[in-house]
Amino acid sequence: GDFRLTVLKGFKATMDVYQGGIPKLLIDCCSRVVRDFSLWDEVLYFKNDCGQSKDWIFDQIILDKSFLTSYGNGRIYRIEEIDEKMTPLSKFPNPKFKTFKEYFKKQYNVKIKEDKQFMVVAYRKKKEVDANGKKREVIDKIHLVPELLLPTGLTDEMRNNRHAMRDLARFTQIPPERR
């Protein structure tokens, strides 16, 4: 079938020390496949059209999967928890904003349509310097709105469709002379 996908192209750089202690930089092309619908659309599809249970959707579609934000700088998050007690109308951690919905409207000019959706949780590690000048790692818990997340990667159905894989390869496999 026809799959709605976007291929984001970029590059990755790695540096390593090789024989004789010589540092070498490797720069290579890479791509990421993003599905052209939100996580919330996918949840509704599997729930309403396919009759899948909530637990199946959580385990197979959301948890331990990566999603691209459709706002801001397009950061990618791996979802580790689902918080069914929170919605976009829940209290936002920063007192400057009353709710998550208000935060996204004022900060990114994004209007959240579905107020009753649950929130998903990702964790982000960052390094901070404490009062003594020592570096320490801090883990932030980040609540995200499924409606504003785009699934990345391919589903098993897509992977098993050789026509889709052949079409996708035209965009993701770059011959050496074009790199």
Side-chain angles (χ1 to χ4, degrees):
D2 291 323
F3 299 107
R4 297 173 16 211
L5 303 172
T6 298
V7 177
L8 302 177
K9 295 184 178 198
F11 64 91
K12 65 179 175 184
T14 54
M15 187 165 217
D16 208 346
V17 178
Y18 290 90
Q19 300 164 347
I22 301 169
K24 294 202 177 179
L25 175 66
L26 173 66
I27 300 174
D28 201 0
C29 299
C30 64
S31 55
R32 183 174 290 271
V33 176
V34 179
R35 302 199 289 280
D36 292 340
F37 43 83
S38 74
L39 170 56
W40 187 244
D41 292 335
E42 197 165 60
V43 166
L44 294 177
Y45 168 76
F46 281 108
K47 180 181 169 204
N48 299 333
D49 297 355
C50 300
Q52 293 292 351
S53 71
K54 178 176 69 172
D55 290 339
W56 185 90
I57 293 169
F58 289 175
D59 289 339
Q60 299 296 315
I61 305 301
I62 302 174
L63 291 172
D64 295 325
K65 304 289 189 289
S66 295
F67 296 88
L68 175 77
T69 58
S70 61
Y71 56 87
N73 62 1
R75 187 174 292 231
I76 293 176
Y77 292 98
R78 181 184 167 120
I79 303 305
E80 299 191 35
E81 293 175 22
I82 295 161
D83 191 338
E84 294 184 84
K85 293 183 178 115
M86 290 188 73
T87 72
L89 297 178
S90 296
K91 185 177 183 224
F92 193 74
N94 182 332
K96 265 177 38 178
F97 308 99
K98 290 180 184 153
T99 64
F100 284 88
K101 185 172 185 167
E102 179 186 330
Y103 167 77
F104 283 104
K105 181 65 181 156
K106 289 184 175 175
Q107 200 71 17
Y108 298 104
N109 198 26
V110 171
K111 185 176 183 331
I112 294 173
K113 297 177 187 105
E114 179 54 60
D115 292 337
K116 293 184 175 148
Q117 64 189 298
F118 53 80
M119 303 283 277
V120 294
V121 177
Y123 292 93
R124 184 175 61 196
K125 295 178 187 176
K126 65 181 184 180
K127 292 188 168 60
E128 287 185 353
V129 178
D130 65 15
N132 300 328
K134 290 188 178 180
K135 285 185 183 177
R136 63 184 184 112
E137 192 171 79
V138 177
I139 299 175
D140 284 339
K141 184 176 185 177
I142 302 167
H143 282 84
L144 300 162
V145 182
E147 185 181 317
L148 305 179
L149 298 175
L150 302 172
T152 65
L154 301 172
T155 63
D156 289 338
E157 179 189 4
M158 293 172 190
R159 265 189 224 92
N160 293 330
N161 183 321
R162 64 184 178 90
H163 299 294
M165 294 305 292
R166 185 189 63 222
D167 291 344
L168 189 58
R170 291 185 307 159
F171 298 99
T172 59
Q173 296 175 353
I174 303 168
E177 65 272 5
R178 284 191 41 217
R179 286 178 189 233

